[in-house]
Amino acid sequence: MKVGFVNIFGKPNAGKSTLLNALMGEKLAIVSPKVQTTRHRIKGILTEKDYQVVFSDTPGIIEPKYKLHEKMMQAVKNSLEDADLALLLVDIGDNWEENDQLFSSLRLKSPAIIVLNKTDAADKTRLEQAKDFFGSKPYCLKLATISALKKTNVPQLLSMILELLPEGQPFFDNDDLTDLPTKFFVGEMIREKIFLFYGDEIPYHATVLVQEFQEKTTLTKIRADIVVQRETQKGIILGEGGEMIKKLGTEARKDIEAFLDRKVFLELFVKVRPKWRDNEIFLKEYGYN
């Protein structure tokens, strides 16, 4: 059977998480219009009778400003080292020269498919120009055009991927969808709502730590901390009279219940940890290893 690690690279907000979800047919990675939503390497395991593809969504490639950013870029580096095939994702409306410089700097050891994303929003002339620009690059073995959000041409991309993968034995059991624990995805669903409901600053200063995850007979009890850097940020998360955190909790609980397919009792608390993004001990505690 065809087996391999296929890792997705690109600038922040190119649509990497949306592409992972589209390829998997499941929502494994959280998405938002804001950049740097993805902080971890998230693997999705797609298994059929004649193939097993282990996809990885990676953080958008940035110049690190904090230890948190350094951890994120280490996840990208690890993904470069074990990739059998790279998907180099480009928002077709973005600056092509910047993407080219980024992809060249990766010094890929694996073959790569250039994936032009959001092509539904591009006119035919720009699309052809993009194909010519990236198709001539030495890192481009093949080129695909898609809309990850609308799932346009995603099956064709999967076929292209399978053509390039080696034969081998599967790495994971047939029913595995990911190698990450359920608690991780619960925390991510809560964090996604922080990106949705709060302004530009708060999501980048906040993280989520699931402290309790108990599966009882009739429901799952979850207790999680939202960690921020300053008392003023805690006040914003809570909102007047606790209205904002109540809204966040209600919407997050709906997603978690759909994900777990059972009732959930969700408790949220807000903790202040000054400069947690630059603290190795906090970062390790919050799962940024």
Side-chain angles (χ1 to χ4, degrees), residues 198 201-202 231-240 244-245:
Y198 298 91
E201 175 191 300
I202 295 295
E231 286 290 339
T232 52
Q233 294 168 346
K234 178 178 179 178
I236 294 169
I237 292 281
L238 291 171
E240 189 174 347
M244 283 302 296
I245 197 168

Side-chain angles (χ1 to χ4, degrees), residues 92-158:
I92 197 168
D94 197 9
N95 184 304
W96 300 344
E97 292 285 353
E98 288 180 4
N99 281 272
D100 175 44
Q101 290 170 15
L102 176 65
F103 297 151
S104 298
S105 72
L106 294 178
R107 294 180 172 83
L108 288 167
K109 298 173 185 175
S110 60
I113 300 174
I114 286 288
V115 184
L116 301 176
N117 190 25
K118 308 180 186 179
T119 55
D120 55 311
D123 62 44
K124 188 175 179 180
T125 301
R126 184 165 178 83
L127 182 57
E128 291 305 315
Q129 289 172 343
K131 286 180 180 180
D132 291 341
F133 180 85
F134 287 104
S136 64
K137 301 301 177 183
Y139 48 74
C140 176
L141 181 62
K142 287 182 177 289
L143 187 144
T145 60
I146 66 162
S147 167
L149 184 62
K150 296 182 178 178
K151 300 185 173 71
T152 306
N153 292 340
V154 170
Q156 289 86 339
L157 173 60
L158 179 58

Side-chain angles (χ1 to χ4, degrees), residues 250-261:
T250 299
E251 294 305 311
R253 179 180 53 77
K254 290 177 185 175
D255 283 0
I256 296 166
E257 286 182 337
F259 182 72
L260 300 178
D261 196 23

